[in-house]
Amino acid sequence: MTRAQRIRGLLALAIVALSLYVAMSVPVHLGLDLRGGTQIVLETRPTAGDDAGPDTVDRTVEVLRGRVDALGVAEPTIVRSGSDRIVVELPGVQDPAEAAEVLGRTARLSFHHVLGTATDATATAADATAAGATAADAAAGPRPDPSGPPVLPDESGQLLRLDAAMLTGKDVEEAAARFDPQSGAGWHVTVEFKDAGRDRWAGLTGEAACRPAGDPARRVAIVLDDRIISSPQVDPSVSCGTGIGGGSTQINGAFDDGEARELALLVNGGALPVPVETVEQRTVGPTLGAQAITASVWAAAVGSTLTALFVIAVYRILGVLAAVALVCYGLISYAALAALGATLTLPGLAGFVLAIGMAVDANVLVFERAREEYAAHHRPTPRSALAAGFRNALSAIADSNITTLIAAALLFLLASGPVRGFGVTLGIGVLASMVSALVITRALADLAVARPGLRRRPHLTGIAHTGAVRDRLARRNPRLMRHPRRWLAASAAALVLAGAGIALRGLDFGIEFTGGRQVEYATATPVDPDRARAALADAGFPHAVVQTSGENRLTVRTGQLTTAQANAVGAAVGDLTSRADRLRDETIGPSLGKELRRGALIALAVALGAQLVYLAARFRLLLGTAAVAALAHDIVILVGVFAWLGKPVDGVFLAALLTVIGYSVNDSVVVFDRLRELTKPTRHADKARETRFRDIAGRALQQTLPRTVNTGTGAALILTALAGFGGDSLTDFALALLIGLAVGTYSSMFTATPLAVVLQERRR
């Protein structure tokens, strides 16, 4: 064993041991779509009078953290996203309306001296009504005089003129909800002031005590978010100028227990520095998350087993070692996720399964190059052929994986939420697949082919023969690039058909791109979608989109809904069956939907541009242009198929689409890498110049076709398992990738390569 082989063996052992230690000691953080709960995305909306400095969002995060802690949620997550957004994850919380109400309240608490009623002012309720406002508007909101003190309605609706705030929420030490059955006050909130606040409270109540009983100016107004929640008169026992000592008071407002506790929570948590608005809200039931994990584990187990059996059947002993390396790949990927503290989401779990196909691809590339070396008698033993296979396949492995990493990086930079998590998981999976193939598989293979038993029986290695696909191609010797324009005509026909689907059927954009609300129910019995549409129309939702998935799943998509309207939708669905459990509830604001649509287009444009730049740098502009044109061909066809099928185009579809971009270009890279190798200047340069480019391209296709067939079969087994066992949540995702795999495999051979031939001949 050489020194390099010993180093690789020790490195492989160290990587596996470290991964095993991390996997056993560090847990992976599961996203809410896997463990259940509510995710709320808040966006800060500073007004003209608010402090909009760079630390405003950070201070808002701290206030929200205090409120969430007071809610008693276990293991909450509150993180800043971008320049003005905050993502709040509340595991186990199944009432998003209540959580959003508590988190979104500005909670600006202030204490004012009442100057008098609004009858002494110019802005009265009658004047407001005469000016065109309704009586409810006049009583519900503040009617300040721009040149005078603020005017707010009290608990009974009477307008009061208030002096400037003497105390704010910053002066409060602690607030607590209490129940007093003896005095008849019921539920109230007791407020304790800090040292400086105690003096100001005594001064405020002492000034009010100087007014006669019954005078409105003897009242003190407690205001929360521009609404008077309590305005009691100072007790006659309080002395003028002295005020109430002790530094405490209580807020009475005919509260029930929930309202009193919520008010105490808001006061203790503090006021938000700036107003916030809920732009996205997702709720996933714990049952759905558990089912998704179980389904994904089954998909990974079945897909990996089928892929391992296929690799073993094709490559024998080396296939067994590759299967062992796949297990190590899974261990390394899991450990990397845990070590980085990444959140594993449902699309991320799918990316984890999908990257198994990438790990298979690297092994197949190496083994096929080793077969070529052995068959050409360049390497007399499997050991030397395998070493040459690793060396010759390195550039193709690097180029194909880098293109996928570009797609993963774009997902991380341009996407958000679960799709961004998919990008992280896919990127980790690609890197882990390279480590498993180039380090672990090679260390095991070097050790195996050096055994005397395999040296005497080279056919057991799996690389001492050419393989069934290569033998058949050698017998028939098809000239694949004899008529390149015919292949391009077939691709153009497919583009026309896909474009017709987009034009005639249109695209069913999900709420990520349109905004609105989407609720998924699990029903006791199957529900006819037409019957559901009629019931929702009768309930006042004629434009609701109803879809079914599986036997007992019903999804309703509408525009923005209030809490009452959402309850009405749930009641309408509940009347159709004996039981309808809400599994998923998502709300996307219209501004966020518009932003996601723009981000999706930018992601696609940047992805194509990045692929073109990389391929042009690694190969040449002509080949890069052909590969990117094939990618555009794949995108249009995939979108067109989804249009014909009526499948939703949502965030998960975007993840699949960008993955197809990286996955599809792999085949083109492998073909062009072989084309570059065949066109390198040699000592037979004159003869090489006489060979037509189309013949060289056809030979490159023929030599790489065994790898394409074996890799495609392995990836198809993984994706089929994902579609069959991944559950309803991943069916459309797996379907998009299966379509992309088929279209991408075809386009790399019969779109990108023929286009490169036509462009080359036209240029000459």
Side-chain angles (χ1 to χ4, degrees):
M1 182 178 291
T2 65
R3 184 170 179 270
Q5 290 174 337
R6 286 196 297 271
I7 293 176
R8 275 195 296 270
L10 292 174
L11 181 60
L13 185 62
I15 291 174
V16 172
L18 180 61
S19 300
L20 185 62
Y21 171 77
V22 173
M24 295 181 63
S25 59
V26 181
V28 169
H29 179 67
L30 297 179
L32 288 184
D33 52 358
L34 294 178
R35 57 176 172 165
T38 295
Q39 181 191 69
I40 299 173
V41 179
L42 302 171
E43 187 172 89
T44 58
R45 300 290 174 86
T47 60
D50 292 319
D51 177 17
D55 62 337
T56 302
V57 178
D58 293 331
R59 288 188 284 117
T60 304
V61 168
E62 294 305 317
V63 173
L64 291 174
R65 185 169 285 113
R67 294 185 183 182
V68 170
D69 290 342
L71 283 173
V73 179
E75 299 182 5
T77 302
I78 307 173
V79 295
R80 177 173 177 169
S81 177
S83 60
D84 58 355
R85 291 205 179 118
I86 301 169
V87 179
V88 182
E89 292 187 351
L90 307 173
V93 174
Q94 298 298 314
D95 188 353
E98 179 182 355
E101 171 66 18
V102 172
L103 295 175
R105 290 279 294 275
T106 309
R108 294 184 175 181
L109 184 70
S110 56
F111 299 80
H112 303 256
H113 179 221
V114 177
L115 300 178
T117 62
T119 54
D120 301 325
T122 57
T124 64
D127 293 335
T129 304
T134 64
D137 291 334
R143 292 288 175 183
D145 181 354
S147 61
V151 178
L152 296 174
D154 65 5
E155 305 93 310
S156 64
Q158 183 183 27
L159 295 177
L160 301 179
R161 291 185 298 119
L162 307 182
D163 199 357
M166 292 289 292
L167 297 95
T168 66
K170 296 179 180 180
D171 297 306
V172 175
E173 178 71 31
E174 183 183 8
R178 304 187 186 281
F179 181 74
D180 186 0
Q182 297 180 351
S183 64
W187 282 97
H188 60 275
V189 177
T190 301
V191 178
E192 299 284 344
F193 295 104
K194 298 177 183 178
D195 294 337
R198 295 180 180 182
D199 297 336
R200 282 194 284 270
W201 174 247
L204 175 61
T205 54
E207 180 182 354
C210 296
R211 301 290 184 175
D215 188 341
R218 194 178 176 87
R219 298 166 69 180
V220 173
I222 304 173
V223 179
L224 180 68
D225 290 344
D226 295 327
R227 182 172 66 90
I228 295 178
I229 58 176
S230 183
S231 57
Q233 282 213 359
V234 176
D235 193 86
S237 62
V238 178
S239 303
C240 174
T242 303
I244 299 176
S248 65
T249 187
Q250 69 180 35
I251 304 174
N252 300 298
F255 304 125
D256 59 24
D257 58 339
E259 293 171 336
R261 290 192 177 97
E262 180 181 327
L263 177 58
L265 184 155
L266 292 172
V267 173
N268 285 326
L272 294 176
V274 291
V276 295
E277 179 181 335
T278 300
V279 296
E280 181 180 355
Q281 183 174 294
R282 300 176 186 269
T283 300
V284 178
T287 303
L288 185 61
Q291 291 175 349
I293 294 177
T294 303
S296 298
V297 169
W298 270 105
V302 174
S304 300
T305 301
L306 291 176
T307 302
L309 291 175
F310 171 75
V311 172
I312 292 172
V314 175
Y315 298 110
R316 303 178 187 179
I317 294 297
L318 290 182
V320 173
L321 301 181
V324 173
L326 284 182
V327 176
C328 295
Y329 150 78
L331 178 64
I332 294 170
S333 298
Y334 182 88
L337 285 172
L340 294 175
T343 299
L344 185 60
T345 61
L346 185 59
L349 199 58
F352 181 83
V353 176
L354 176 63
I356 297 175
M358 306 301 297
V360 172
D361 183 42
N363 287 302
V364 169
L365 275 170
V366 171
F367 296 160
E368 287 299 328
R369 291 307 299 259
R371 280 181 169 181
E372 291 181 32
E373 292 290 335
Y374 193 92
H377 302 293
H378 294 162
R379 308 294 170 183
T381 65
R383 184 175 183 179
S384 57
L386 185 65
F390 274 103
R391 185 171 60 253
N392 294 336
L394 183 59
S395 63
I397 292 174
D399 287 334
S400 60
N401 281 280
I402 287 174
T403 54
T404 306
L405 285 174
I406 290 175
L410 291 174
L411 285 173
F412 179 77
L413 295 174
L414 301 177
S416 61
V419 179
R420 189 178 191 185
F422 172 80
V424 174
T425 312
L426 181 61
I428 291 175
V430 170
L431 294 175
S433 71
M434 294 182 68
V435 172
S436 68
L438 299 180
V439 178
I440 298 177
T441 300
R442 183 160 191 182
L444 294 174
D446 286 341
L447 187 63
V449 296
R451 300 300 92 192
L454 282 183
R455 285 204 301 266
R456 291 192 299 269
R457 302 175 183 86
H459 63 280
L460 294 179
T461 61
I463 61 174
H465 57 88
T466 55
V469 176
R470 197 179 302 276
D471 288 342
R472 181 170 298 181
L473 289 172
R475 287 195 302 268
R476 296 189 176 184
N477 191 26
R479 295 182 60 189
L480 298 175
M481 287 296 103
R482 178 183 299 177
H483 303 292
R485 285 179 173 80
R486 292 183 182 179
W487 296 116
L488 294 180
S491 298
L495 284 175
V496 171
L497 185 61
I502 298 173
L504 298 177
R505 297 290 300 270
L507 298 178
D508 181 18
F509 287 105
I511 62 168
E512 289 95 336
F513 301 135
T514 61
R517 190 159 184 171
Q518 179 171 298
V519 186
E520 182 180 1
Y521 299 94
T523 58
T525 56
V527 176
D528 181 65
D530 293 330
R531 187 173 163 225
R533 293 186 191 99
L536 290 169
D538 294 339
F541 307 98
H543 302 295
V545 178
V546 178
Q547 294 176 322
T548 57
S549 59
E551 294 184 357
N552 300 325
R553 295 282 178 88
L554 184 73
T555 301
V556 179
R557 191 166 76 244
T558 67
Q560 299 293 332
L561 298 178
T562 63
T563 302
Q565 289 174 326
N567 293 335
V569 170
V573 174
D575 292 339
L576 301 174
T577 181
S578 60
R579 191 188 77 253
D581 298 328
R582 188 178 62 182
L583 297 178
R584 189 190 303 271
D585 190 346
E586 301 181 6
T587 300
I588 303 290
S591 62
L592 184 60
K594 183 178 180 181
E595 180 180 321
L596 289 175
R597 285 199 307 272
R598 184 174 63 249
L601 293 176
I602 292 174
L604 290 177
V606 173
L608 292 175
Q611 302 284 5
L612 177 60
V613 170
Y614 179 79
L615 293 173
R618 287 292 292 149
F619 300 99
R620 50 178 171 157
L621 185 59
L622 183 144
L623 297 182
T625 302
V628 171
L631 289 182
H633 161 276
D634 299 344
I635 292 171
V636 173
I637 291 181
L638 180 56
V639 174
V641 170
F642 262 56
W644 281 115
L645 296 176
K647 295 289 185 179
V649 176
D650 51 15
V652 175
F653 175 81
L654 176 61
L657 188 64
L658 288 177
T659 305
V660 166
I661 291 176
Y663 208 88
S664 169
V665 78
N666 283 355
D667 286 340
S668 298
V669 165
V670 172
V671 175
F672 290 164
D673 181 78
R674 183 60 63 91
L675 185 60
R676 177 178 56 187
E677 181 179 327
L678 293 176
T679 55
K680 281 182 179 179
T682 65
R683 57 185 176 179
H684 305 292
D686 293 338
K687 184 176 180 181
R689 276 196 293 268
E690 294 174 0
T691 306
R692 290 193 304 172
F693 184 81
R694 68 169 58 186
D695 293 333
I696 299 176
R699 206 162 77 228
L701 269 181
Q702 185 171 331
Q703 291 177 0
T704 56
L705 193 58
R707 169 262 166 200
T708 302
V709 171
N710 292 340
T711 297
T713 302
L717 290 173
I718 290 288
L719 295 176
T720 302
L722 197 61
F725 297 93
D728 296 331
S729 302
L730 292 176
T731 299
D732 289 346
F733 178 84
L735 176 63
L737 289 177
L738 276 171
I739 296 171
L741 174 66
V743 175
T745 301
Y746 171 86
S747 69
S748 65
M749 295 188 296
F750 303 121
T751 301
T753 307
L755 183 58
V757 170
V758 171
L759 292 176
Q760 173 72 10
E761 293 180 349
R762 180 169 295 181
R763 189 179 70 174
R764 286 188 175 182

